[in-house]
Amino acid sequence: MNQPVLILIKPDGLKKSLTGNILTRLSETKLEIVAAKMVRVSQDLAHNHYIHLKDKPFFGELIKYLRGELHDRRKVMALIYYGEDAINKCRQLAGATNPEEAESTSIRGSYGRITTAGVYENVIHVSSNPDEAEREIKLWFGPDEIIVDLFPTKNIEKTKKIAAWA
Ligand code: IDP
Ligand code: MG
């Protein structure tokens, strides 16, 4: 079954210049990239993204990590890959959450580490199941930013000043 998956190259991945490397690894999946952008992560976005972990002792540090406060890189790269069994394929390549337990040839096994503050810096985020993928994609992307129709949309009236090229 074709499905979408949200991928984030986290601030440590960007700081370590791993973007090309990670995208090359992911291209082994033969999945299609249907959206991509650089994002400055707000407190709200980070909090909502990791809401399932909000009671964990490492939550505060995890939010700082995703926002780039630990790496002086206030950005992440967000992508949506789409295709057959996309979630499984990407999670296989990413490896286990704990980089020390991840297979050594996986992305996290190759490039991840555990900080002295105890956060797993594991270079990449991959949605863990179809429901999470849908929830996360709707947090990170609007319908207009994705080149295929993934989920139902509605039209809303919005009057807001936006920046345009001068
Ligand atoms: P996942 O990223 O493999 O789906 P989640 O359980 O969703 O794993 O955790 C989200 C992120 O929180 C992980 O990628 C990692 O950066 C961090 N994390 C998860 N569990 C721990 C932990 O036990 N200690 C420190 N950091 C953790
Ligand atoms: Mg997860």
Side-chain angles (χ1 to χ4, degrees), residues 58-71:
F58 55 83
F59 186 67
E61 206 62 18
L62 181 61
I63 297 306
K64 282 192 196 160
Y65 167 38
L66 190 65
R67 297 193 69 204
E69 290 175 38
L70 309 182
H71 296 91

Side-chain angles (χ1 to χ4, degrees), residues 50 52 91 125-126 128 136:
Y50 280 138
H52 62 294
R91 283 195 72 97
H125 167 82
V126 183
S128 54
E136 293 171 356

Side-chain angles (χ1 to χ4, degrees), residues 17-153:
S17 279
L18 292 171
T19 308
N21 207 305
I22 290 169
L23 296 182
T24 301
R25 295 295 307 275
L26 289 171
S27 70
E28 289 168 27
T29 61
K30 304 280 191 283
L31 296 165
E32 184 187 358
I33 297 173
V34 296
K37 64 178 175 182
M38 301 303 299
V39 184
R40 206 168 285 278
V41 184
S42 69
Q43 182 74 23
D44 265 8
L45 178 56
H47 192 279
N48 285 330
H49 180 76
Y50 280 138
I51 192 83
H52 62 294
L53 298 170
K54 72 174 182 345
D55 296 326
K56 299 282 185 191
F58 55 83
F59 186 67
E61 206 62 18
L62 181 61
I63 297 306
K64 282 192 196 160
Y65 167 38
L66 190 65
R67 297 193 69 204
E69 290 175 38
L70 309 182
H71 296 91
D72 202 25
R73 285 286 187 291
R74 302 292 167 104
K75 60 190 173 187
V76 305
M77 186 172 192
L79 305 105
I80 303 171
Y81 281 74
Y82 181 75
E84 180 74 28
D85 203 21
I87 294 175
N88 241 325
K89 285 177 179 163
C90 293
R91 283 195 72 97
Q92 278 292 330
L93 279 177
T97 305
N98 180 339
E100 290 193 353
E101 287 171 4
E103 214 178 297
S104 54
T105 55
S106 68
I107 294 168
R108 288 169 165 180
S110 303
Y111 306 119
R113 66 170 196 143
I114 301 178
T115 68
T116 42
V119 181
Y120 299 165
E121 280 186 8
N122 51 15
V123 176
I124 184 175
H125 167 82
V126 183
S127 311
S128 54
N129 61 59
D131 286 346
E132 273 294 281
E134 177 172 350
R135 191 188 74 83
E136 293 171 356
I137 285 168
K138 289 177 175 174
L139 274 180
W140 288 83
F141 288 92
D144 287 349
E145 297 176 303
I146 308 171
I147 60 156
V148 291
D149 293 330
L150 294 178
F151 309 114
T153 56

